[in-house]
Amino acid sequence: GIQVEQSPPDLILQEGANSTLRCNFSDSVNNLQWFHQNPWGQLINLFYIPSGTKQNGRLSATTVATERYSLLYISSSQTTDSGVYFCAPESGNKLTFGGGTRVLVKP
Amino acid sequence: GAGVSQSPSNKVTEKGKDVELRCDPISGHTALYWYRQSLGQGLEFLIYFQGNSAPDKSGLPSDRFSAERTGGSVSTLTIQRTQQEDSAVYLCASSVGLASIYEQYFGPGTRLTVT
């Protein structure tokens, strides 16, 4: 099956900093989603992004499907951005999740 | 509108007992998915339904696990003779249609603890 690698595994940011999270996947995919898992465990949809670039407030994402990677940008980070970020490419009508990037934003 | 709901939110059971976990998808969503999140395995796919049919059961870890969906809506995941390694958070998701085309939305999960 498809392999998904996320980097870095852990990230500590000072409030206000910018950062980039990366997701590499091993096979061609039809779509890809980014999620934020909050401290209560809820998976919150951030982006549905099979290709191209999308922006939502301080967050943006880019997927280059031909090169099998996706990037999530966090700008002007806030403490509420803390949590685990997962990318999940779709293959065979199911999502395969990476190991996540655990983000801690310090005030 | 209402999101995906799951019940119970927490379940503690003794090893060897059977448990049933319930998922109510977003109204009108034809596709429904079960995933499991555990410390050792991360987030992993279990099974998905299109309508009441399950085209892909490849993620079910053993024959102790089964799932059904009725009326194209509610789904139940049943674990028989629970083992300690079944302890995990069980997540349900739904989408308008197939995941190859449509975004999945997740419920809050059921935390299962097998003692």
Side-chain angles (χ1 to χ4, degrees), chain A residues 3-22:
Chain A
Q3 304 298 311
V4 184
E5 291 187 6
Q6 291 187 243
S7 60
D10 295 280
L11 188 60
I12 299 175
L13 298 172
Q14 202 62 41
E15 195 169 30
N18 304 328
S19 189
T20 301
L21 284 57
R22 187 176 180 103

Side-chain angles (χ1 to χ4, degrees), chain A residues 62-80:
Chain A
T62 295
T63 296
V64 184
T66 53
E67 297 187 22
R68 298 179 185 172
Y69 73 88
S70 185
L71 303 174
L72 179 70
Y73 307 92
I74 305 174
S75 64
S76 304
S77 58
Q78 299 179 357
T79 56
T80 52

Side-chain angles (χ1 to χ4, degrees), chain A residues 1-4 26-27 91 94 96:
Chain A
I2 188 171
Q3 304 298 311
V4 184
S26 61
D27 209 345
S91 180
K94 55 184 177 277
T96 299

Side-chain angles (χ1 to χ4, degrees), chain A residues 1-106:
Chain A
I2 188 171
Q3 304 298 311
V4 184
E5 291 187 6
Q6 291 187 243
S7 60
D10 295 280
L11 188 60
I12 299 175
L13 298 172
Q14 202 62 41
E15 195 169 30
N18 304 328
S19 189
T20 301
L21 284 57
R22 187 176 180 103
C23 172
N24 292 332
F25 44 95
S26 61
D27 209 345
S28 59
V29 298
N30 293 311
N31 75 57
L32 182 144
Q33 292 186 240
W34 280 95
F35 297 91
H36 175 214
Q37 189 166 42
N38 66 21
W40 297 270
Q42 176 72 51
L43 281 168
I44 299 166
N45 292 43
L46 296 178
F47 294 100
Y48 168 80
I49 184 164
S51 63
T53 296
K54 290 186 177 180
Q55 180 152 8
N56 184 1
R58 296 179 297 100
L59 301 181
S60 64
T62 295
T63 296
V64 184
T66 53
E67 297 187 22
R68 298 179 185 172
Y69 73 88
S70 185
L71 303 174
L72 179 70
Y73 307 92
I74 305 174
S75 64
S76 304
S77 58
Q78 299 179 357
T79 56
T80 52
D81 295 332
S82 295
V84 183
Y85 290 80
F86 289 101
C87 80
E90 175 277 339
S91 180
N93 287 311
K94 55 184 177 277
L95 299 179
T96 299
F97 284 80
T101 293
R102 184 173 299 276
V103 174
L104 175 62
V105 182
K106 294 187 171 181

